[in-house]
Amino acid sequence: MDLSPVPQPQPGYVRLTTRNARQLALQSGLSPDALRFFAALEECMGGGPRPHPLIARDCGILTACRSWLFSKFCGNHLLSDLANPRTALGSNAEALWQAIEEDPLYRQGSVGRVPPVCASFAAAGMMYWARPHAIIEMTDALERMLLVSDIGDDLPMEAFKAPFPACYVRFGKTFREALAPGDRLPEFKNCRPQGAYVFDRGIEAGGGFCLAMILELGDENALVIGAFELSLFSDRSLAEGIRSNPQWPRMTGEGFELELTQAVAKVLLYLASEEAVRTEERPYSDLLDKLIRRGPKKVARAQHQLADLYDRILIGPSEIRGHGHGEVSPHLRRGHFRMQPHGPQNSLRKLMFIAPTWIRADKLHDPVASTAPSVAAPRP
């Protein structure tokens, strides 16, 4: 996973945006489809507090790319590849960059010189919106539990499952602080992981997933992306397969990428377990449906409202309850995921999440602080 930051513009640079693309096209006589696409391409790399799929949605990168491809190339196989689970993120990003380099306006410098990393940001966002998808967020209580939980060695590779072909696991404050690279990546010392795209490639493509980690670069309103393939179908356990991924030796950061992958794996394991607390929230879709029934003008006028909304799956309990008895000092027993025997003569197995447990929580002086593990606990 080569972590690639977005280069910052030089002073005095006038940025092409999706808002001024049409006006600039009229003034310059250049293709409006090309200007709209390259504007969306730049905006897709922008930072901010919102998860990256929303940045890709609101800049309209998928629609802009579709119009641009048909106007310049009379269509392109890239559009079908974006929705095809058998295609990898890396190959889609490479195909997109090749198409960009072939554009006459780009070769002439008429639309600026976007960096190659733009193709990775755009491909990830378009793959997400072109496939069945969901944004997954965790309660703070769940993040604290997962930080002090382990993946059992008895879990098979197949336990790593995504609920949709395209998911975005958005990290909360607890995960961002605990999983920050710190001094291990000096050039990205102030980074905080925002979340991760997870694309299920399916058995037809040989099994496995494409992961794209999105990191926020300090206060510079910029993003960093790192993408790699994770093969999961082998005779190894899930924990061993993640630890021994052949890509780790070529990476930097002393286990930083490994920790992020383990964190994503634990989120998906929890979501697949019977113990999962799950709530689906649809404020964006509900408002959009309501506006559509009132007419397209209502939708256009309410764009600022829609931009602040998005659908998500919220998982995890609202709090961690302390309990336990015995004459021992208060301490936290780590949680773990394991395969639980069940059924006739215990012949079947199901995924179980054994949550972290406070032992003698009643002896902790601060009852409020005792309800959550410290984020300074050992890394996952």
Side-chain angles (χ1 to χ4, degrees):
M1 180 175 72
D2 297 324
L3 295 176
S4 303
V6 176
Q8 297 303 294
Q10 298 297 320
Y13 170 74
V14 179
R15 183 184 178 189
L16 173 68
T17 69
T18 53
R19 292 186 177 183
N20 64 19
R22 183 175 295 276
Q23 179 181 357
L24 291 177
L26 293 175
Q27 295 174 352
S28 63
L30 299 177
S31 166
D33 290 324
L35 291 187
R36 179 69 176 79
F37 168 69
F38 281 98
L41 200 62
E42 282 207 40
E43 292 182 13
C44 196
M45 300 185 292
R50 297 180 303 159
H52 188 261
L54 300 193
I55 297 174
R57 179 196 72 185
D58 294 338
C59 74
I61 184 63
L62 183 58
T63 301
C65 184
R66 182 180 293 112
S67 299
W68 170 70
L69 286 173
F70 274 98
S71 67
K72 291 295 182 182
F73 305 100
C74 297
N76 191 290
H77 65 84
L78 175 61
L79 290 176
S80 59
D81 287 345
L82 292 172
N84 187 346
R86 291 177 293 179
T87 59
L89 173 59
S91 60
N92 284 336
E94 182 178 355
L96 178 60
W97 180 245
Q98 290 177 351
I100 291 172
E101 289 185 308
E102 293 174 8
D103 187 284
L105 294 182
Y106 176 77
R107 293 201 304 268
Q108 297 166 9
S110 301
V111 290
R113 288 293 178 183
V114 294
V117 68
C118 71
S120 295
F121 281 105
M126 290 191 292
M127 288 170 63
Y128 176 87
W129 290 107
R131 305 176 183 189
H133 54 263
I135 293 177
I136 301 170
E137 295 183 0
M138 295 79 70
T139 62
D140 184 69
L142 178 61
E143 288 193 342
R144 291 175 179 270
M145 285 195 292
L146 294 182
L147 282 174
V148 288
S149 298
D150 304 309
I151 299 175
D153 288 333
D154 63 332
L155 267 68
M157 289 286 190
E158 291 79 3
F160 191 103
K161 297 178 180 178
F164 293 91
C167 298
Y168 188 77
V169 179
R170 187 188 188 190
F171 297 160
K173 180 180 178 181
T174 298
F175 261 26
R176 293 187 190 199
E177 294 179 353
L179 299 174
D183 295 334
R184 293 176 296 167
L185 291 175
E187 66 273 33
F188 302 114
K189 184 176 180 179
N190 296 323
C191 274
R192 292 293 183 271
Q194 183 196 90
Y197 284 102
V198 182
F199 300 108
D200 188 347
R201 296 197 62 194
I203 297 178
E204 292 183 0
F209 293 81
C210 300
L211 273 69
M213 304 296 181
I214 303 293
L215 290 83
E216 298 168 350
L217 189 56
D219 298 327
E220 299 180 19
N221 197 33
L223 297 178
V224 175
I225 187 170
F228 60 93
E229 298 286 319
L230 185 63
S231 179
L232 295 176
F233 290 85
S234 72
D235 55 354
R236 297 175 178 175
S237 68
L238 174 60
E240 183 182 5
I242 293 177
R243 289 194 301 266
S244 61
N245 189 288
Q247 299 180 84
W248 303 143
R250 299 196 300 274
M251 299 181 189
T252 60
E254 298 181 4
F256 173 57
E257 299 88 351
L258 173 61
E259 290 174 5
L260 290 179
T261 305
Q262 289 175 326
V264 172
K266 286 189 283 188
V267 171
L268 297 183
L269 286 172
Y270 174 82
L271 187 56
S273 68
E274 292 185 353
E275 296 77 17
V277 180
R278 166 176 171 163
T279 304
E280 295 190 18
E281 301 178 351
R282 293 170 44 87
Y284 179 86
S285 294
D286 291 343
L287 178 58
L288 183 61
D289 291 343
K290 181 179 179 180
L291 293 172
I292 289 176
R293 288 195 296 269
R294 295 182 178 181
K297 291 185 178 180
K298 288 288 186 179
V299 178
R301 293 173 182 173
Q303 286 300 317
H304 65 285
Q305 293 178 264
L306 291 169
D308 295 329
L309 300 176
Y310 62 96
D311 300 340
R312 68 174 183 172
I313 298 176
L314 179 64
I315 59 174
S318 59
E319 62 179 7
I320 305 173
R321 300 185 181 278
H323 62 278
H325 301 282
E327 295 301 324
V328 294
S329 299
H331 66 280
L332 183 70
R333 179 180 296 160
R334 292 184 66 87
H336 60 279
F337 293 90
R338 73 180 187 191
M339 299 303 291
Q340 176 72 28
H342 73 105
Q345 300 179 341
N346 286 335
S347 59
L348 304 176
R349 296 291 185 272
K350 63 181 178 180
L351 176 62
M352 293 284 292
F353 173 54
I354 310 301
T357 303
W358 278 109
I359 305 301
R360 285 318 310 259
D362 56 297
K363 286 192 174 185
L364 292 170
H365 296 296
D366 185 352
V368 175
S370 68
T371 60
S374 170
V375 296
R379 294 179 179 273

